[in-house]
Amino acid sequence: MLNCVSSSQLKATLSLSEGSICIKANAQSCGECIQVAETCGWCADENFLTVGESKSARCDDLESLKKRNCAVTKIENPRGSINIDKNNPVTNRKKDGSDKLKPEQITQIQPQKLTLTLRSGEPQTFELKFKRAEDYPIDLYYLMDLSFSMKDDLENVKNLGTDLMKEMQEITSDFRIGFGSFVEKTVMPYISTTPARLINPCTGNQNCTSPFSYKNVLKLTDKGDEFNRLVSQQQISGNLDSPEGGFDAIMQVAVCENQIGWRNVTRLLVFSTDAGFHFAGDGKLGGIVLPNDGRCHLENNMYTMSHYYDYPSIAHLVQKLSDNNIQTIFAVTEEFQPVYKELKNLIPKSAVGTLSSNSSNVIKLIIDAYNSLSSEVILENNRLPEGVSITYKSICKNGVEGTGENGRKCSNISIGDEVSFKISIESQKCPAIGKTEVIKIKPQGFTEEVQIVLNFICDCQCATKGEPNSDKCYEGNGTFECGACKCNEGRIGRLCECSKDEVRTEDLDANCRKDNGTDICSNNGDCVCGTCECKKRENPAEIYSGKYCECDNFNCDRSNNKLCGGHGRCECRKCICDANYTGSACDCSLETSTCLAKNGQICNGRGTCECGLCKCTNPKFQGPTCEICPTCPGVCAEHKDCVQCRAFEAGEKKDTCKRDCSYFHLIKVQDRNSLPQPTDQSFPLTHCKERDANDCWFYYTYAIRNDTKEVYFWGHIIKNCPAGPDIIPIVAGVVAGIVLIGLALLLIWKLLMIIHDRREFAKFEKEKMNAKWDTGENPIYKSAVTTVVNPKYEGK
């Protein structure tokens, strides 16, 4: 006896599981199943599986599980969630308001902390708001190149503190400014190390200070006059090569937060120079090979390790500036604009301004650069855990939306404008270590951030109710959870009934051979612990089943290239047809509507309906409903003689009328319009018009009603015969026609002769005009006159 999958389960699997990634995953537990995709569920019903199905058959898409009769309450399908832990609203205040808030009391991003519970393949989306707060505090640190070429610039910077303070009051009431300077590493070949040059590196009568790498002149302060006083005391220094050691100075400004005095507010670094820069690797020229360690090395406000550590790399510098939320403004001369514009493309939240030769435009440059930087918000996140992805969608000013990389940013933001971002976080797998991760999202150049705690759904809720060493698993060799046995180490099988060492023993294999044959599991499965577990095919809708995997649902007869003709299901290699279909391929329809003839009879009463098609029993008839008879007279012609003899007592069957023509009921009508019309009756009928031997027309209708043949005929006018011809008009017409034809022929002949004569006359006239007469003398002509002259005549 065959143990096949039930028809309802098989049909559901065939219709809904096609292409299911859930089945292909071959999940052995509920936890493995729910990590395949968000559409996958696990049936925890203990009695769900049929003979030959493996544990992985419990993992399928939700609709398929329902169709396979798994109760909804038994389907494990945990979902992710979002919980907002901290959601302070963004700050709304005016610069001239009485409420003076500390920087840490100002909120520009909302929410601030969330907890996301992620299931593999199921994204969780939340909205993040950003609003530029009015009167937000600003810290600005002015870092200046004090090599000899910047001598005239120093004079213009000496009053920068108070002037810049005055301008920044238009933007914020909480502004602080600091000052630092740099020259170069204090080793050869960057500077001259002779004793005299170490004291005064400048030539001629120039009075310069000793060279140095970086010096923090003024910690961030809100006293502009203090800035002016200390900057006025600075002196120009000098070095040998053109590139300067500015990267060393930027690194120290970024990492020495306490010494510089950075607050958790908008941090601006103005880097002013008229030269290029050294970067990682250039230190080898001075015998410095140790890479920059990215730490603070200020002693007495002087960088003391310039001779020990190499210049930082650009990538290292980008990292430290980003970590410390510093926005950089490069104020450089026209000559070095291309170089620093390339550098700007590598450093997020940075700007480049053109510095005049003497730095007279530095305040305008700073204001313009700040407005440019602050009008754009770009979100960034720290490193994501393995298997976690994040996507951004921005909803910016005036409803402008951005996706992809543009989804991270919004531009042209004014103070007080609010923008939002749709952020989706998705996990493709559970983390290898631990089940909680933390990621942070923040706007570039801002200290505020959103903290997101990620929890991962790595197992089903039913797994917490598992029964270790359960009696439902063979001899307690597994944990019974989620409706199935989760085997202990070294055990396998649906009930953990086998040891891995016993899997291929001959005795167990014998249980997997049908009728003691040679094929194990019909070559369609694997023998596991003496039980066949059927193979899965490439197409998950195609299933092997049965105790020996001898059944399948894809090797049945086909019709029109469809399995079971598309009108049934394949069970154990045999078609189970739908209602009204039969045959080995369910290609025979029991429906008879396709066999109905126009007269309402099946196959016109001259055949049988088989598989929805007529088979005509009378060889004279053919066609889809046995209504076509090429050798038969029509209905009208067939009954013409009988109608003629019974209605008019005439015709060929006049003498045998009672014997041959009593098969129908004759009904007379008063006029032709009273004959039944085909559209007026619910029974089949034929409207006839026939001609008798005298060439007269008669009309009748032949009908079959309730199996009774009826003939309706027009009897008021016995026959509709044509009238005889009128001879006189015919003869007159013939004579007139002959005369007219003769006259027409004479006229045509006369016309042709006139045309011919005119052509001949025209030809004669043309020859006459072209004739030429020869005026020469005839050579044989001799005149009849002879003239004789008198010789004696003298003309007197």
Side-chain angles (χ1 to χ4, degrees), residues 594-661:
T594 56
C595 296
L596 289 178
K598 293 179 181 178
N599 59 14
Q601 294 180 306
I602 293 178
C603 299
N604 198 29
R606 294 183 172 88
T608 58
C609 186
E610 297 180 9
C611 299
L613 298 175
C614 282
K615 287 192 176 181
C616 303
T617 54
N618 189 331
K620 292 194 302 181
F621 288 87
Q622 56 185 260
T625 53
C626 302
E627 292 180 282
I628 300 173
C629 182
T631 61
C632 296
V635 173
C636 295
E638 182 181 355
H639 302 290
K640 167 186 173 183
D641 293 336
C642 283
V643 171
Q644 194 175 4
C645 80
R646 290 190 61 181
F648 305 109
E649 297 180 356
E652 296 180 1
K653 293 186 177 183
K654 176 181 179 182
D655 299 331
T656 62
C657 192
K658 290 184 178 180
R659 185 188 68 188
D660 297 338
C661 301

Side-chain angles (χ1 to χ4, degrees), residues 308-357:
Y308 191 75
Y309 289 116
D310 194 5
Y311 302 99
S313 66
I314 295 175
H316 197 185
L317 211 57
V318 169
Q319 178 194 347
K320 293 300 180 181
L321 288 171
S322 179
D323 290 346
N324 292 280
N325 306 305
I326 296 174
Q327 304 177 58
T328 310
I329 300 172
F330 295 105
V332 296
T333 55
E334 184 71 35
E335 180 184 358
F336 288 95
Q337 281 285 309
V339 175
Y340 283 91
K341 283 182 178 178
E342 290 296 324
L343 182 61
K344 167 190 171 295
N345 295 332
L346 301 175
I347 300 178
K349 292 295 280 186
S350 61
V352 177
T354 303
L355 190 68
S356 61
S357 58

Side-chain angles (χ1 to χ4, degrees), residues 327-563:
Q327 304 177 58
T328 310
I329 300 172
F330 295 105
V332 296
T333 55
E334 184 71 35
E335 180 184 358
F336 288 95
Q337 281 285 309
V339 175
Y340 283 91
K341 283 182 178 178
E342 290 296 324
L343 182 61
K344 167 190 171 295
N345 295 332
L346 301 175
I347 300 178
K349 292 295 280 186
S350 61
V352 177
T354 303
L355 190 68
S356 61
S357 58
N358 59 359
S359 295
S360 59
N361 68 331
V362 66
I363 293 179
K364 183 178 184 304
L365 184 153
I366 292 172
I367 298 296
D368 292 344
Y370 169 75
N371 289 332
S372 174
L373 290 172
S374 61
S375 66
E376 183 178 55
V377 58
I378 303 175
L379 297 185
E380 63 179 3
N381 53 267
N382 61 347
R383 185 175 180 179
L384 298 174
E386 186 179 359
V388 175
S389 61
I390 186 169
T391 57
Y392 295 85
K393 178 183 178 181
S394 60
I395 300 102
C396 303
K397 197 173 180 179
N398 298 324
V400 177
E401 296 185 356
T403 56
E405 282 303 310
N406 290 330
R408 291 175 172 265
K409 62 183 179 181
C410 284
S411 302
N412 301 319
I413 303 174
S414 303
I415 292 175
D417 287 344
E418 182 177 299
V419 296
S420 61
F421 298 85
K422 298 286 186 181
I423 302 176
S424 295
I425 299 178
E426 182 178 352
S427 172
Q428 296 301 329
K429 62 179 182 179
C430 284
I433 301 175
K435 292 187 178 180
T436 300
E437 298 281 354
V438 177
I439 62 175
K440 295 179 180 179
I441 299 175
K442 69 183 185 68
Q444 289 181 359
F446 292 84
T447 57
E448 294 179 70
E449 64 185 15
V450 181
Q451 186 180 39
I452 304 171
V453 179
L454 303 181
N455 294 322
F456 299 88
I457 302 175
C458 297
D459 213 337
C460 300
Q461 185 65 31
C462 59
T464 61
K465 303 175 184 178
E467 304 174 18
N469 304 319
S470 174
D471 292 338
K472 296 179 181 179
C473 304
Y474 184 78
E475 294 182 353
N477 286 314
T479 300
F480 187 79
E481 63 178 43
C482 302
C485 285
K486 188 174 183 180
C487 299
N488 296 337
E489 186 67 28
R491 304 296 296 187
I492 57 174
R494 276 176 58 173
L495 300 176
C496 310
E497 64 269 30
C498 287
S499 166
K500 288 184 178 179
D501 300 331
E502 301 172 348
V503 173
R504 278 297 175 185
T505 63
E506 191 63 30
D507 292 338
L508 292 174
D509 286 351
N511 295 329
C512 297
R513 294 189 177 97
K514 183 182 179 182
D515 299 330
N516 294 322
T518 58
D519 294 336
I520 295 178
C521 298
S522 306
N523 289 330
N524 295 325
D526 298 317
C527 186
V528 180
C529 300
T531 302
C532 286
E533 289 193 359
C534 303
K535 294 178 180 177
K536 292 181 174 63
R537 289 178 58 83
E538 184 69 23
N539 181 357
E542 298 177 351
I543 299 174
Y544 290 112
S545 59
K547 181 178 179 180
Y548 302 102
C549 302
E550 72 278 16
C551 294
D552 63 60
N553 65 346
F554 53 88
N555 274 323
C556 291
D557 291 341
R558 293 175 179 266
S559 177
N560 294 326
N561 203 29
K562 293 181 179 180
L563 192 68

Side-chain angles (χ1 to χ4, degrees), residues 39 49 152 180 255 268 303 473 642 753 756 778:
T39 57
L49 297 181
D152 54 346
V255 298
L268 300 178
Y303 179 41
C473 304
C642 283
M753 292 302 298
H756 179 266
N778 191 340

